[in-house]
Structures are given as C-alpha cells and as structure tokens.
Amino acid sequence: MPEPEEGGRKVYTVAELTAGLKHVIESEFSGLWVEGEISNFKVYPSGHAYFTLKDEEAQIRSVMWKGMRQLLKFEPKDGDKVICRGRLSVYEKRGEYQLTVEAMEPAGLGALQMAFNRLKEKLTAEGLFGEKRKKALPYIAWSVGIITSPAGAVLRDMVRTIKRRFPGLRIVFAPVAVQGDGAKEQIAKAIADMNEYGKVDVIICGRGGGSLEDLWAFNEEIVARAIAGSKIPVVSAVGHETDFTIADFAADARASTPTAAAEIIAPERADVESTIEEFHRRLFVEMRDIVETRSQRLDDAANRLERGALLKTGRMRDKLSAAARHLMAVSPAAQLKNRRERLANAHQRLTGGLTRARDVSSARAAAALSRINAIRPENFVSSRRDALNRAFEKLGERLTASSSIKRKRLEVIAGKLDALSPLKALARGYSIVTSPDGKKIYTRAADLRPGDHVRIKMSDGETQATIRSAGGGKQEKLF
C-alpha cells in the first residue's frame, strides 16, 4: 500500500484497490448458501457452466467449473429454482465479482428425485416402458442369468430359493458393483454380455434395499436402455417392495424383492412334475380314444366292404347263372364249366383282398400305439434332470475356485494399501497441515499467510494453530 502523502491522503492504484477488495471479499464470503433462479445457463466446450442467479430484486453472475458440474445428479436449465453452495470471487481484469458454485441442488425437491422424474418422463415419451414391447417370461427357465453383487446376502438368497424350488436349474452369475462409480457401466455391460452368451432363458438384475442414493445405479439411462434392448426377458429385483426404480419400468417383469424374483423364475418342481403327469394321463386317454375310435371305424368299413362284396358276388352269381343257363341252352357244356371257374376265381380274389385290407389296418393301429408309448415325457424329464445336476455341480466347483483366487488378490491389495497409508508417515513424526475445514492441504510454507488459521493432524490427534509468519525459505517461527 502507498505511504500517506502530504495532507493525509492515501492514493491507490486500480490494481491495488481491486486486490484489496478481492482479499476482503474472498476471505469473508466463502462457504455461502445462495438461493435463486437460474437464467442464461450455458455450458462451454471446456465443460464450465456460466449463468446468472437471480431473484425479484437482484442478480449475481455465477460460474460452475467442469469438475463440480460433473458431480451433479441433474442437468440445470433456465427457470430452475436452486440452492447453491459456493464462494465469492473477484475477476480483477474486469473489476467484477461472481459466485463460484461448488454444489447445487433443486430448491424444494431433491436433485435425485428431480433427475428420476425427468428421466422417467423422457423414456415414457419414447415408449420404452410400453407393455407391447415387453417379453413374456418362460414357464420354466432351464438356465437363469443373475446380475448382482457377489457380496451380501442377495445372491445367496436367490440361489438358495432356486435350489429349493426347482433343483437342477442352471445358474449363470455375472458379478457387478451395484452402487458407486462405474456401477451403471458394469450393469449395462453384464446385460449385453448375457445376450451375447445367449445360453440363458431369463435374466434377474437387482440388489438389496437401500437409500435412493444407494439404488441410483438402477435409475441411470444407460441401464434402462440396456434392459429394454435385451433380447432375453429381464426381471428387475431392486430393493424392497416399496422401492421403485427406472429399471423396474424398463424390465419385462418387476419383482418386489430379489427372493421374489427367484420364486417367479423357479416354480415348485413338485407342481411341475404333477402337471406333466396330468398332461401324460390326458395324452394317453386321448390317444387311446383315438385308436379305439379309428379301430371301430376300420371294423365298420371292413363290415361294409364285406357286405358289399358279398352282395356284389351274389349279383354276379345271379348273372352268371343266367348266362350259364343261356349257354346251356345255346352252347356246349365246356363253356358253362369255363364260366364257373372264372366266377370261383373272382370270389377268391375278392375275399383275399378284404382279408389283407383288414390286416394292414390292424398293423398300422398297433404301430401308432407303440410310438405313443415310446415317447413318455417322464423319460425326457429324467434325462434333463441328470444333465442339470451335473452342470450345477461344476458351477459350484468353479465358484469356489474363483472365490479363493479373489480372496488372495484382496489380501495382497489390502497389504499394499496399508503400506501406502498416510498414517504410517504420521507415525514416523510427520504431520499434515490443512485448512480449518479440512478441504485444502498445505504442502509449502509459501502457501500460508500471517493470520491464517490451520489444522495440524499428527499420529495421535489434531490441533489448531494460527500462522504468525510465513513464506518461502527458512523461518524462525511459524506458529
């Protein structure tokens, strides 16, 4: 600052005055919560967002840097009423001050709920939730794909329920993270992988209960589109009965809980076997009735044919008798004998043809009945049951081996993390200096100013301190 001139005046340069104001404003107005309406919201190619926050009486320029904006659970737009947390900053070249926004949430409605409502409206308008595009679930899913976290009780409950209700069903498991960074991408990829694999009849995708934040991966657009685009029917099983997610609307069926999803997919085996037995009984009765009916028709036809042949033979005999009498009257006895022989031959051929026709029809009926008895459904069910049991035993062995390998990897990673822990350095006599709120870590003395308040973290606790002197180089006394 300049020295007082004659007459007691202090003369500031513009830069000095602006710098003084910047120091006062930025030091006094930090950690602010400001409510207002967004206008002129614009995101630049850099990813930074610039807008105006206003109310009925005033307005303030605001900026939200790319890193902070990417953490938002909703996309702000003009007209939104929001509550912002941030600090005032001064842009010295223009002599302007602005609000640097570090966090934002809708006023009166949670950010997550707003994002949920907007995405639901968008996908509903596209017809993604329409009943016409939903696929029917198979009566028996011989192969079930499960997409969930390998940790927790959800997977165990579903597998236990499927085993209890229909032992031998094949289970294909795709482990994913169900919350946190990367969860939505893992879930969407697992659904695509199941479709590419193509050897499952239905997919269960879900997790246990939790808060709206915990379930948020199943409210992401990428997951909803992956479910809707699946060629294999998908059952959504997220949270508890009262929890609804975007995935529930996109799925072909919704289960109130993961265990309920397993019950939907796997019917009681005893009920299925009873149904098969009933179908077999009905099939046998119907085929028996068909065979008996056709046999009766065949007998009736044979009887009609025999009566017709006899009648025809009688008529032929009458005609031949008349001819014979005529020949006896007008020709030698040799002609009469010839006519009688021809009549006897015709009668023999007619009787033989009738007998052969009856034998052929009886053989066909016996062959049809033999084929019906050969294709018994219980033989097919038994062979499939043995194959499914062998496949499930192999799956258990693979899951055990995979769990052992992952456990060993986890132990190695835990050891590395422990070795790199900053608490190790603190135990050797080092300390960490941060701002009072703990958000900024000071690594150089030059970053500190006289009068700054700091927090010092040591191996056995923390303490507060005030900087008396600071700057680069060796200091005689810092605190």
Side-chain angles (χ1 to χ4, degrees):
M1 299 295 287
E3 294 294 333
E5 298 182 358
E6 186 177 351
R9 293 186 304 173
K10 289 185 178 180
V11 179
Y12 296 89
T13 66
V14 174
E16 289 172 338
L17 180 59
T18 303
L21 290 172
K22 176 181 176 68
H23 176 72
V24 173
I25 291 175
E26 293 185 354
S27 61
E28 293 294 329
F29 295 95
S30 62
L32 299 173
W33 288 94
V34 183
E35 181 176 359
E37 179 182 322
I38 293 177
S39 65
N40 300 322
F41 188 87
K42 184 175 182 181
V43 179
Y44 284 80
S46 62
H48 307 321
Y50 294 87
F51 57 96
T52 299
L53 202 61
K54 66 179 183 177
D55 57 20
E56 296 178 355
E57 298 180 358
Q59 63 181 21
I60 183 173
R61 293 179 180 272
S62 305
V63 61
M64 193 171 198
W65 307 125
K66 177 182 178 180
M68 298 298 179
R69 190 179 67 83
Q70 290 178 336
L71 299 178
L72 292 178
K73 295 297 185 181
F74 71 104
E75 186 63 30
K77 68 179 189 305
D78 288 351
D80 284 350
K81 291 185 177 182
V82 295
I83 300 175
C84 300
R85 178 177 60 80
R87 55 185 174 80
L88 285 181
S89 60
V90 176
Y91 185 43
E92 296 179 77
K93 291 185 178 181
R94 293 183 181 176
E96 298 177 348
Y97 71 92
Q98 63 184 8
L99 178 66
T100 300
V101 178
E102 298 171 347
M104 181 188 298
E105 62 184 46
L109 182 66
L112 294 179
Q113 189 62 47
M114 175 180 283
F116 178 93
N117 293 340
R118 287 184 177 176
L119 181 58
K120 182 180 177 183
E121 293 173 0
K122 174 184 175 181
L123 299 183
T124 299
E126 292 183 18
L128 208 68
F129 303 153
E131 291 297 326
K132 292 183 178 180
R133 55 152 293 278
K134 295 184 183 293
K135 297 172 284 296
L137 302 182
Y139 174 62
I140 298 178
W142 297 103
S143 181
V144 181
I146 298 179
I147 300 174
T148 189
S149 170
V154 170
L155 177 61
R156 294 194 300 272
D157 289 345
M158 285 194 286
V159 172
R160 187 184 303 113
T161 300
I162 291 174
K163 281 185 174 182
R164 173 177 55 81
R165 291 175 65 85
F166 205 108
L169 287 189
R170 179 169 176 258
I171 299 176
V172 179
F173 174 52
V176 297
V178 293
Q179 69 183 72
D181 295 338
K184 60 182 180 181
E185 290 84 1
Q186 291 185 32
I187 296 170
K189 185 178 184 302
I191 295 172
D193 290 344
M194 285 285 187
N195 278 266
E196 183 177 356
Y197 176 60
K199 295 181 180 180
V200 296
D201 301 318
V202 68
I203 297 172
I204 301 176
C205 182
R207 57 153 291 158
S211 64
L212 183 58
E213 291 83 356
D214 294 338
L215 305 181
W216 193 252
F218 295 89
N219 288 321
E220 297 285 1
E221 184 172 355
I222 185 176
V223 173
R225 293 194 182 279
I227 292 174
S230 174
K231 296 179 181 179
I232 301 171
V234 178
V235 178
S236 175
V238 182
H240 302 300
E241 186 172 0
T242 57
D243 296 323
F244 278 88
T245 64
I246 297 296
D248 293 331
F249 298 109
D252 299 293
R254 173 189 180 264
S256 57
T257 63
T259 302
E263 292 176 348
I264 292 173
I265 295 304
E268 288 286 356
R269 183 161 186 160
D271 294 342
V272 175
E273 292 176 346
S274 175
T275 301
I276 293 175
E277 289 293 337
E278 178 63 18
F279 286 158
H280 177 264
R281 187 190 65 79
R282 292 181 182 178
L283 178 62
F284 178 79
V285 171
E286 290 179 4
M287 293 304 299
R288 184 192 63 191
D289 292 344
I290 291 173
V291 170
E292 291 177 353
T293 300
R294 292 188 177 182
S295 297
Q296 183 66 41
R297 289 178 182 176
L298 182 60
D299 291 340
D300 292 343
N303 290 332
R304 288 196 299 271
L305 181 61
E306 185 175 6
R307 288 195 300 271
L310 292 174
L311 180 60
K312 185 176 181 180
T313 301
R315 290 175 181 174
M316 289 179 67
R317 284 177 177 175
D318 294 340
K319 290 180 179 180
L320 289 174
S321 297
R325 287 193 300 270
H326 176 71
L327 288 173
M328 288 177 67
V330 297
S331 60
Q335 293 184 0
L336 178 60
K337 182 180 180 180
N338 183 46
R339 294 287 184 175
R340 286 177 176 175
E341 291 177 352
R342 292 175 60 185
L343 175 62
N345 291 336
H347 182 270
Q348 184 178 2
R349 287 195 301 271
L350 180 61
T351 304
L354 181 61
T355 302
R356 285 193 298 273
R358 178 180 297 178
D359 293 341
V360 170
S361 298
S362 299
R364 289 178 179 175
L369 184 60
S370 177
R371 287 195 300 271
I372 291 171
N373 292 329
I375 54 173
R376 296 178 66 84
E378 57 265 27
N379 295 335
F380 172 77
V381 172
S382 177
S383 63
R384 290 301 298 270
R385 182 189 300 115
D386 294 339
L388 290 175
N389 288 334
R390 289 193 299 272
F392 194 78
E393 289 175 0
K394 291 182 180 179
L395 176 62
E397 294 172 358
R398 292 179 181 175
L399 286 176
T400 301
S402 176
S403 299
S404 177
I405 292 172
K406 290 183 178 180
R407 186 182 301 109
K408 291 180 180 179
R409 290 179 180 174
L410 179 62
E411 291 174 356
V412 173
I413 293 172
K416 291 181 179 180
L417 289 175
D418 184 65
L420 296 174
S421 171
L423 297 178
K424 295 286 187 177
L426 295 179
R428 293 196 299 268
Y430 293 92
S431 61
I432 300 175
V433 180
T434 66
S435 58
D437 56 7
K439 294 182 178 180
K440 182 176 182 182
I441 299 176
Y442 296 102
T443 60
R444 301 185 309 161
D447 293 338
L448 298 169
R449 298 176 181 173
D452 283 352
H453 297 287
V454 297
R455 178 187 295 173
I456 303 173
K457 180 176 180 61
M458 292 170 282
S459 62
D460 61 344
E462 297 180 352
T463 186
Q464 304 284 337
T466 302
I467 304 300
R468 293 185 178 177
S469 61
K474 184 177 180 181
Q475 299 293 326
E476 295 180 358
K477 190 172 184 182
L478 284 177
F479 306 104

